[in-house]
Amino acid sequence: MRRMVDLVQRSKLERAGLGFYPTPFERMPRLEREIGGPRLFVKRDDLTGLALGGNKTRQLDYLLVEAIKKRADVIITTTGLQSNWARQTTAAAAKLGVKTVLVLRTAQFDETPKEFDGNLLLDHIMGADISFIRMKIDEDPRDILESVAERLTAKGHRPHVLHLSHMESPLAAASYAEAMKELMGQTKSTGDLPDWIVVASGCGTTHAGLLAGAKMLNLGTKIIGISVGAFTKKKIDAVIESAFDGASELLGSSHRANPRDIITLEDYVGEGYGKPSRESLEALRLTGRTEGLLLDPVYTSKAMAGLIDLAKKGYFKKDDSVCFLHTGGIPALFPYRDYFPPPNGDHILTESE
Ligand SMILES: Cc1ncc(COP(=O)(O)O)c(C=O)c1O
């Protein structure tokens, strides 16, 4: 326990204090029964707090310390149209009393939106200044963000830019080494420390932090990242290695990433990033029906499809404890409503009945 506390205290990493921790950790007994084991748990990082939560809240809690220190009055950032990062950044900025400028890439939608829905609607409600660029998920509008910052500086503002690179930074990963410590604390008395954690991998930063935390804390927990197809496995694994090493250094540890510990699976991407697969939609419905737990259409449902498939294939031992890290993303369900058509009229009770 002492080691565990030291891990973060020695590092002198500061947090902005934006999220709610610890997030709940609980068993999923009905889903576990439905798929025939192993012991299944969920760590509810969809409940981290910032405007419907998600994994980015932990990362922003560290990343925004610099913005606070330089007394920024506007945060500029980018991602995709239905971005969980953009929503949580906008909420964080609102909580800190500063403005948000979002330059959103059309990403998987190709077109600019006809209406505001899901995450985009929430960004708008929370007061973000939003503009769109036609760009894919793997293109970086770094120069555009810099020129927005220059314009705002010329008008007397103090902008702080969060580039895409911040999302794969050592500091962002360190927040998940901290989450690993939190999870260890939660499971210490119950003996349910996960043998495995399954997590959705976008660029791999969350995976990197969990792995670094597990190694630094000397835990045997293995991390499985299920790629959602935003990047190639090669790129994800490279991010995991460098974010692991950077986070470890920041936290004062001499551990370095061992490529043999990195498990990134690309088998559950389906047709691509942002495109639900039959299996991911089934996993989403099954988790909802059995546990009352909502997953999102882009990240967590693909990770859960992976977990279920691995469990059915016997990848885990029956008495292994497997933790699903719920990384959030629920607001994106709404713009994906067409994947969940309502039942036909037969099921709807009418007034005359
Ligand atoms: C809901 C959700 N899950 C998982 C991820 C993936 O996180 P990472 O990029 O750290 O792999 C993201 C990132 O955008 C996300 O929004």
Side-chain angles (χ1 to χ4, degrees), residues 55-56 59 84 200-206 296 299-300 327-329:
N55 58 336
K56 305 306 183 188
Q59 304 175 357
N84 301 306
S201 273
C203 61
T205 313
T206 308
D296 83 288
Y299 294 91
T300 51
T327 46

Side-chain angles (χ1 to χ4, degrees), residues 110-344:
D110 297 326
E111 288 303 320
T112 54
K114 302 206 175 27
E115 56 183 23
F116 282 10
D117 197 355
N119 280 312
L120 184 56
L121 175 65
L122 304 186
D123 301 339
H124 172 55
I125 288 172
M126 291 186 285
D129 176 339
I130 303 170
S131 52
F132 304 110
I133 33 170
R134 212 166 263 125
M135 262 192 186
K136 297 277 177 220
I137 193 75
D138 54 357
E139 291 178 273
D140 188 350
R142 172 171 279 271
D143 296 346
I144 300 176
L145 299 194
E146 289 299 338
S147 67
V148 172
E150 272 166 33
R151 250 190 348 256
L152 287 170
T153 305
K155 285 185 182 164
H157 286 282
R158 293 180 306 278
H160 181 73
V161 185
L162 288 174
H163 284 293
L164 290 175
S165 55
H166 283 88
M167 285 179 228
E168 17 180 289
S169 65
L171 202 49
S175 70
Y176 267 92
E178 163 83 349
M180 198 64 217
K181 186 191 74 161
E182 183 181 299
L183 184 57
M184 177 175 152
Q186 285 175 307
T187 53
K188 198 169 174 270
S189 57
T190 58
D192 293 322
L193 180 74
D195 298 299
W196 304 87
I197 295 177
V198 177
V199 62
S201 273
C203 61
T205 313
T206 308
H207 182 161
L210 293 168
L211 190 59
K215 291 291 169 192
M216 284 182 235
L217 295 164
N218 240 335
L219 310 176
T221 306
K222 293 186 270 300
I223 318 294
I224 302 176
I226 306 285
S227 169
V228 299
F231 302 101
T232 60
K233 175 176 158 53
K234 195 169 164 212
K235 150 92 183 169
I236 295 170
D237 288 356
V239 168
I240 293 174
E241 266 193 64
S242 69
F244 179 121
D245 291 354
S248 179
E249 204 167 310
L250 277 178
L251 292 166
S253 158
S254 56
H255 279 92
R256 292 296 173 267
N258 180 345
R260 279 193 312 239
D261 292 332
I262 300 175
I263 310 171
T264 300
L265 303 180
E266 282 187 302
D267 312 59
Y268 305 99
V269 169
E271 281 178 35
Y273 176 77
K275 298 194 166 70
S277 60
R278 189 170 52 80
E279 293 76 13
S280 71
L281 292 170
E282 262 172 37
L284 199 154
R285 287 200 191 86
L286 183 64
T287 310
R289 279 203 315 269
T290 54
E291 295 291 341
L293 181 67
L294 294 170
L295 303 178
D296 83 288
V298 179
Y299 294 91
T300 51
S301 55
K302 287 196 174 163
M304 185 58 92
L307 187 160
I308 292 172
D309 184 58
L310 293 172
K312 288 186 171 167
K313 279 181 179 156
Y315 189 93
F316 310 113
K317 290 208 249 15
K318 283 291 173 211
D319 61 346
D320 276 355
S321 114
V322 178
C323 173
F324 181 74
L325 179 70
H326 194 324
T327 46
I330 316 297
L333 269 178
F334 299 99
Y336 280 78
R337 61 174 63 75
D338 289 350
Y339 287 91
F340 308 94
N344 62 39

